[in-house]
Amino acid sequence: MADTIIEFQNVTFRYEGDEGIVLSPAVKDFSLKIGGGEFVAVLGHNGSGKSTLAKLANGLLLPESGDVLVDGMNTKNEDDDIKIKQTVGVVFQNPDNQIVATIVEEDVAFGPENLGIEQSEIRRRVDGALKIVGMYNYRRHEPHKLSGGQKQRVAIAGIIAMEPRCIILDEPTAMLDPVGRKDVMNAIKRLNREMGITVVYITHYMEEACEAQRIIVMDDAKLLMDGTPEEIFSDPEKIREIGLDVPQTCRLAEMLKNSGIKITGNVLGIDELVENIDSLLRGQQNVTSCN
Ligand code: ADP
Ligand code: MG
């Protein structure tokens, strides 16, 4: 793995309850390393601690015990706060809460302007960021007139323009229609593949999680699983036990298996599953009927 960009070391975090009531931890004894250039998806049912994790990762929240290191900098060290927030950018669920200007390109320029970057450099970053998310042609548009997916891509461009090494997206597609979801997902994949930005992608869409190289599963404030999509979904029962679904391809493969057809190999990708079924229909040997 390349150099570690985010490291959680036995992190516990508790929100403050009303009137001194002690709440149970939202994140408990959590340890994790994310390497530069990785694309990691985070799964977990509602309330399992995913958003808290995102906020701990760039110093929006600080651990009660344990440490969070961003590129070696401890988030508890106030002197590094700006550098940490520049290194790890966060995109949240609701794009409407993240738009600050009345013209798309001004919105994207907002972050770098606050960093005191010079105008010609801002121009370069804004254009580059809008191109990578496929919103360059909308640069003179009014953000509030865009679709949810377009707004979210503008919000992502705003983060990219600050040139973070890592971007955390907290259910950025939850409020979008299927087309918007796909466009946002494609933009995120490009950030990772073409710009080498580390992506931490929190989602409740299993199909989206399968696009990552690595999936982390949270359950009740703790890390439950950490592996490749194939590893994670090789045990569909375990996934269902904690209230999550499995990808449709995985379910179809499971149903075929249950009806006595042996499906081999990794069947998470649609192409692989189609290949499996195709071989099955041709009666080839890698798919055999089991009695
Ligand atoms: P997720 O993003 O996986 O749904 P969260 O990180 O938002 O989970 O929440 C983890 C736990 O912390 C939940 O029990 C939730 O109710 C609680 N929690 C989240 N935000 C707050 C808050 N501001 N005050 C008190 N409790 C909170
Ligand atoms: Mg959340």
Side-chain angles (χ1 to χ4, degrees), residues 41 43 185 203 205-213 215 229-230 233 247 249 268-269:
L43 291 174
M185 196 66 211
T203 182
Y205 294 107
M206 302 300 136
E207 275 74 17
E208 291 184 349
C210 288
E211 303 271 5
Q213 299 150 349
I215 297 179
E230 294 76 29
F233 293 112
T249 46
L268 281 181

Side-chain angles (χ1 to χ4, degrees), residues 8-17 22-31 47-57 59-68 75-76 218 220-222:
F8 284 77
Q9 296 175 335
N10 305 97
V11 173
T12 295
F13 177 86
R14 224 184 278 264
Y15 289 98
E16 264 174 50
V22 179
L23 300 175
S24 53
V27 167
K28 193 174 177 184
D29 196 24
F30 185 91
S31 295
S48 59
K50 305 182 299 297
S51 294
T52 306
L53 211 61
K55 290 172 188 156
L56 284 163
L60 285 171
L61 297 174
L62 297 176
E64 170 184 313
S65 61
D67 291 294
V68 178
T75 57
K76 286 175 184 165
M218 296 281 293
D220 287 339
K222 291 203 217 75

Side-chain angles (χ1 to χ4, degrees), residues 44-52 54-55 93 170-171 202:
H45 60 74
N46 271 344
S48 59
K50 305 182 299 297
S51 294
T52 306
K55 290 172 188 156
Q93 195 176 91
D170 189 357
E171 306 206 29
I202 301 171

Side-chain angles (χ1 to χ4, degrees), residues 250-262:
C250 187
R251 220 162 66 215
L252 178 56
E254 210 183 357
M255 285 161 82
L256 289 170
K257 277 181 197 168
N258 288 345
S259 68
I261 295 154
K262 193 177 163 205

